[in-house]
PDB file of all heavy atoms in Angstrom:
ATOM      1  N   GLY A 425     -46.022 -66.285  -8.786  1.00 97.00           N
ATOM      2  CA  GLY A 425     -46.872 -65.371  -8.034  1.00 97.00           C
ATOM      3  C   GLY A 425     -46.241 -64.022  -7.784  1.00 97.00           C
ATOM      4  O   GLY A 425     -45.105 -63.748  -8.169  1.00 97.00           O
ATOM      5  N   GLN A 426     -47.003 -63.153  -7.094  1.00 96.00           N
ATOM      6  CA  GLN A 426     -46.564 -61.788  -6.821  1.00 96.00           C
ATOM      7  C   GLN A 426     -45.751 -61.732  -5.527  1.00 96.00           C
ATOM      8  O   GLN A 426     -44.542 -61.643  -5.567  1.00 96.00           O
ATOM      9  CB  GLN A 426     -47.772 -60.859  -6.732  1.00 96.00           C
ATOM     10  CG  GLN A 426     -47.434 -59.415  -6.428  1.00 96.00           C
ATOM     11  CD  GLN A 426     -46.628 -58.757  -7.531  1.00 96.00           C
ATOM     12  OE1 GLN A 426     -46.975 -58.837  -8.694  1.00 96.00           O
ATOM     13  NE2 GLN A 426     -45.532 -58.119  -7.146  1.00 96.00           N
ATOM     14  N   ASN A 427     -46.402 -61.802  -4.397  1.00 93.00           N
ATOM     15  CA  ASN A 427     -45.644 -61.693  -3.149  1.00 93.00           C
ATOM     16  C   ASN A 427     -46.121 -62.639  -2.056  1.00 93.00           C
ATOM     17  O   ASN A 427     -45.618 -62.588  -0.945  1.00 93.00           O
ATOM     18  CB  ASN A 427     -45.671 -60.254  -2.611  1.00 93.00           C
ATOM     19  CG  ASN A 427     -47.075 -59.702  -2.489  1.00 93.00           C
ATOM     20  OD1 ASN A 427     -48.040 -60.466  -2.451  1.00 93.00           O
ATOM     21  ND2 ASN A 427     -47.191 -58.392  -2.430  1.00 93.00           N
ATOM     22  N   LYS A 428     -47.086 -63.510  -2.379  1.00 96.00           N
ATOM     23  CA  LYS A 428     -47.585 -64.419  -1.353  1.00 96.00           C
ATOM     24  C   LYS A 428     -47.650 -65.874  -1.792  1.00 96.00           C
ATOM     25  O   LYS A 428     -47.311 -66.767  -1.019  1.00 96.00           O
ATOM     26  CB  LYS A 428     -48.976 -63.975  -0.871  1.00 96.00           C
ATOM     27  CG  LYS A 428     -48.965 -62.712  -0.039  1.00 96.00           C
ATOM     28  CD  LYS A 428     -50.362 -62.427   0.514  1.00 96.00           C
ATOM     29  CE  LYS A 428     -50.339 -61.177   1.405  1.00 96.00           C
ATOM     30  NZ  LYS A 428     -51.693 -60.890   1.954  1.00 96.00           N
ATOM     31  N   TYR A 429     -48.108 -66.121  -3.029  1.00 98.00           N
ATOM     32  CA  TYR A 429     -48.397 -67.495  -3.422  1.00 98.00           C
ATOM     33  C   TYR A 429     -47.859 -67.821  -4.820  1.00 98.00           C
ATOM     34  O   TYR A 429     -47.826 -66.959  -5.713  1.00 98.00           O
ATOM     35  CB  TYR A 429     -49.912 -67.761  -3.412  1.00 98.00           C
ATOM     36  CG  TYR A 429     -50.540 -67.581  -2.056  1.00 98.00           C
ATOM     37  CD1 TYR A 429     -51.230 -66.412  -1.741  1.00 98.00           C
ATOM     38  CD2 TYR A 429     -50.433 -68.573  -1.086  1.00 98.00           C
ATOM     39  CE1 TYR A 429     -51.805 -66.233  -0.488  1.00 98.00           C
ATOM     40  CE2 TYR A 429     -51.007 -68.408   0.166  1.00 98.00           C
ATOM     41  CZ  TYR A 429     -51.684 -67.236   0.468  1.00 98.00           C
ATOM     42  OH  TYR A 429     -52.241 -67.062   1.703  1.00 98.00           O
ATOM     43  N   GLU A 430     -47.458 -69.085  -4.995  1.00 98.00           N
ATOM     44  CA  GLU A 430     -47.123 -69.661  -6.293  1.00 98.00           C
ATOM     45  C   GLU A 430     -48.190 -70.689  -6.628  1.00 98.00           C
ATOM     46  O   GLU A 430     -48.762 -71.316  -5.731  1.00 98.00           O
ATOM     47  CB  GLU A 430     -45.746 -70.333  -6.247  1.00 98.00           C
ATOM     48  CG  GLU A 430     -44.634 -69.435  -5.737  1.00 98.00           C
ATOM     49  CD  GLU A 430     -44.376 -68.271  -6.655  1.00 98.00           C
ATOM     50  OE1 GLU A 430     -44.194 -68.491  -7.859  1.00 98.00           O
ATOM     51  OE2 GLU A 430     -44.363 -67.121  -6.155  1.00 98.00           O
ATOM     52  N   GLU A 431     -48.457 -70.885  -7.931  1.00 98.00           N
ATOM     53  CA  GLU A 431     -49.556 -71.792  -8.266  1.00 98.00           C
ATOM     54  C   GLU A 431     -49.247 -72.677  -9.461  1.00 98.00           C
ATOM     55  O   GLU A 431     -48.380 -72.381 -10.273  1.00 98.00           O
ATOM     56  CB  GLU A 431     -50.838 -70.999  -8.529  1.00 98.00           C
ATOM     57  CG  GLU A 431     -50.814 -70.128  -9.773  1.00 98.00           C
ATOM     58  CD  GLU A 431     -52.120 -69.365  -9.951  1.00 98.00           C
ATOM     59  OE1 GLU A 431     -52.392 -68.450  -9.136  1.00 98.00           O
ATOM     60  OE2 GLU A 431     -52.870 -69.684 -10.897  1.00 98.00           O
ATOM     61  N   VAL A 432     -49.974 -73.789  -9.521  1.00 98.00           N
ATOM     62  CA  VAL A 432     -49.934 -74.712 -10.652  1.00 98.00           C
ATOM     63  C   VAL A 432     -51.344 -74.793 -11.229  1.00 98.00           C
ATOM     64  O   VAL A 432     -52.313 -75.002 -10.486  1.00 98.00           O
ATOM     65  CB  VAL A 432     -49.459 -76.115 -10.224  1.00 98.00           C
ATOM     66  CG1 VAL A 432     -49.516 -77.084 -11.407  1.00 98.00           C
ATOM     67  CG2 VAL A 432     -48.059 -76.057  -9.647  1.00 98.00           C
ATOM     68  N   ASP A 433     -51.460 -74.601 -12.548  1.00 98.00           N
ATOM     69  CA  ASP A 433     -52.752 -74.585 -13.216  1.00 98.00           C
ATOM     70  C   ASP A 433     -52.825 -75.661 -14.290  1.00 98.00           C
ATOM     71  O   ASP A 433     -51.795 -76.054 -14.861  1.00 98.00           O
ATOM     72  CB  ASP A 433     -52.991 -73.234 -13.897  1.00 98.00           C
ATOM     73  CG  ASP A 433     -53.012 -72.076 -12.917  1.00 98.00           C
ATOM     74  OD1 ASP A 433     -53.912 -72.042 -12.074  1.00 98.00           O
ATOM     75  OD2 ASP A 433     -52.109 -71.209 -13.003  1.00 98.00           O
ATOM     76  N   ILE A 434     -54.029 -76.105 -14.569  1.00 98.00           N
ATOM     77  CA  ILE A 434     -54.302 -76.871 -15.784  1.00 98.00           C
ATOM     78  C   ILE A 434     -55.035 -75.921 -16.728  1.00 98.00           C
ATOM     79  O   ILE A 434     -56.134 -75.449 -16.423  1.00 98.00           O
ATOM     80  CB  ILE A 434     -55.143 -78.127 -15.508  1.00 98.00           C
ATOM     81  CG1 ILE A 434     -54.347 -79.109 -14.640  1.00 98.00           C
ATOM     82  CG2 ILE A 434     -55.538 -78.794 -16.819  1.00 98.00           C
ATOM     83  CD1 ILE A 434     -55.088 -80.398 -14.327  1.00 98.00           C
ATOM     84  N   VAL A 435     -54.400 -75.606 -17.844  1.00 98.00           N
ATOM     85  CA  VAL A 435     -54.905 -74.576 -18.756  1.00 98.00           C
ATOM     86  C   VAL A 435     -55.907 -75.195 -19.732  1.00 98.00           C
ATOM     87  O   VAL A 435     -55.626 -76.220 -20.362  1.00 98.00           O
ATOM     88  CB  VAL A 435     -53.737 -73.920 -19.516  1.00 98.00           C
ATOM     89  CG1 VAL A 435     -54.265 -72.939 -20.552  1.00 98.00           C
ATOM     90  CG2 VAL A 435     -52.802 -73.223 -18.537  1.00 98.00           C
ATOM     91  N   GLU A 436     -57.046 -74.534 -19.854  1.00 98.00           N
ATOM     92  CA  GLU A 436     -58.088 -74.978 -20.783  1.00 98.00           C
ATOM     93  C   GLU A 436     -58.512 -73.812 -21.668  1.00 98.00           C
ATOM     94  O   GLU A 436     -58.378 -72.640 -21.299  1.00 98.00           O
ATOM     95  CB  GLU A 436     -59.293 -75.533 -20.013  1.00 98.00           C
ATOM     96  CG  GLU A 436     -58.946 -76.771 -19.191  1.00 98.00           C
ATOM     97  CD  GLU A 436     -60.138 -77.268 -18.385  1.00 98.00           C
ATOM     98  OE1 GLU A 436     -61.151 -76.529 -18.302  1.00 98.00           O
ATOM     99  OE2 GLU A 436     -60.057 -78.367 -17.828  1.00 98.00           O
ATOM    100  N   LYS A 437     -59.037 -74.134 -22.804  1.00 98.00           N
ATOM    101  CA  LYS A 437     -59.405 -73.138 -23.811  1.00 98.00           C
ATOM    102  C   LYS A 437     -60.438 -72.140 -23.287  1.00 98.00           C
ATOM    103  O   LYS A 437     -61.454 -72.518 -22.714  1.00 98.00           O
ATOM    104  CB  LYS A 437     -59.946 -73.846 -25.053  1.00 98.00           C
ATOM    105  CG  LYS A 437     -60.326 -72.905 -26.184  1.00 98.00           C
ATOM    106  CD  LYS A 437     -60.605 -73.667 -27.467  1.00 98.00           C
ATOM    107  CE  LYS A 437     -61.854 -74.508 -27.363  1.00 98.00           C
ATOM    108  NZ  LYS A 437     -62.191 -75.148 -28.658  1.00 98.00           N
ATOM    109  N   GLY A 438     -60.112 -70.839 -23.486  1.00 97.00           N
ATOM    110  CA  GLY A 438     -61.067 -69.772 -23.181  1.00 97.00           C
ATOM    111  C   GLY A 438     -61.189 -69.419 -21.728  1.00 97.00           C
ATOM    112  O   GLY A 438     -61.972 -68.525 -21.378  1.00 97.00           O
ATOM    113  N   LYS A 439     -60.417 -70.066 -20.832  1.00 97.00           N
ATOM    114  CA  LYS A 439     -60.607 -69.845 -19.400  1.00 97.00           C
ATOM    115  C   LYS A 439     -59.772 -68.660 -18.894  1.00 97.00           C
ATOM    116  O   LYS A 439     -58.743 -68.310 -19.460  1.00 97.00           O
ATOM    117  CB  LYS A 439     -60.240 -71.111 -18.621  1.00 97.00           C
ATOM    118  CG  LYS A 439     -61.120 -72.307 -18.940  1.00 97.00           C
ATOM    119  CD  LYS A 439     -62.581 -72.040 -18.611  1.00 97.00           C
ATOM    120  CE  LYS A 439     -63.485 -73.204 -18.949  1.00 97.00           C
ATOM    121  NZ  LYS A 439     -63.220 -74.399 -18.150  1.00 97.00           N
ATOM    122  N   ASN A 440     -60.253 -68.069 -17.802  1.00 97.00           N
ATOM    123  CA  ASN A 440     -59.600 -66.944 -17.135  1.00 97.00           C
ATOM    124  C   ASN A 440     -58.947 -67.457 -15.856  1.00 97.00           C
ATOM    125  O   ASN A 440     -59.629 -68.030 -14.996  1.00 97.00           O
ATOM    126  CB  ASN A 440     -60.640 -65.867 -16.815  1.00 97.00           C
ATOM    127  CG  ASN A 440     -60.047 -64.655 -16.120  1.00 97.00           C
ATOM    128  OD1 ASN A 440     -58.852 -64.586 -15.863  1.00 97.00           O
ATOM    129  ND2 ASN A 440     -60.889 -63.678 -15.810  1.00 97.00           N
ATOM    130  N   TYR A 441     -57.630 -67.257 -15.718  1.00 97.00           N
ATOM    131  CA  TYR A 441     -56.910 -67.806 -14.572  1.00 97.00           C
ATOM    132  C   TYR A 441     -56.684 -66.796 -13.454  1.00 97.00           C
ATOM    133  O   TYR A 441     -55.894 -67.047 -12.540  1.00 97.00           O
ATOM    134  CB  TYR A 441     -55.610 -68.469 -15.065  1.00 97.00           C
ATOM    135  CG  TYR A 441     -55.987 -69.735 -15.788  1.00 97.00           C
ATOM    136  CD1 TYR A 441     -56.358 -69.696 -17.127  1.00 97.00           C
ATOM    137  CD2 TYR A 441     -56.111 -70.926 -15.107  1.00 97.00           C
ATOM    138  CE1 TYR A 441     -56.800 -70.827 -17.774  1.00 97.00           C
ATOM    139  CE2 TYR A 441     -56.551 -72.070 -15.735  1.00 97.00           C
ATOM    140  CZ  TYR A 441     -56.901 -72.016 -17.071  1.00 97.00           C
ATOM    141  OH  TYR A 441     -57.365 -73.144 -17.696  1.00 97.00           O
ATOM    142  N   GLY A 442     -57.427 -65.661 -13.530  1.00 95.00           N
ATOM    143  CA  GLY A 442     -57.639 -64.856 -12.332  1.00 95.00           C
ATOM    144  C   GLY A 442     -56.722 -63.691 -12.080  1.00 95.00           C
ATOM    145  O   GLY A 442     -57.097 -62.766 -11.363  1.00 95.00           O
TER     146      GLY A 442
END
Side-chain angles (χ1 to χ4, degrees):
Q426 179 65 49
N427 53 20
K428 289 186 178 180
Y429 299 100
E430 307 295 309
E431 67 181 69
V432 176
D433 299 296
I434 295 181
V435 175
E436 297 177 349
K437 182 169 68 175
K439 297 299 179 65
N440 180 0
Y441 288 84

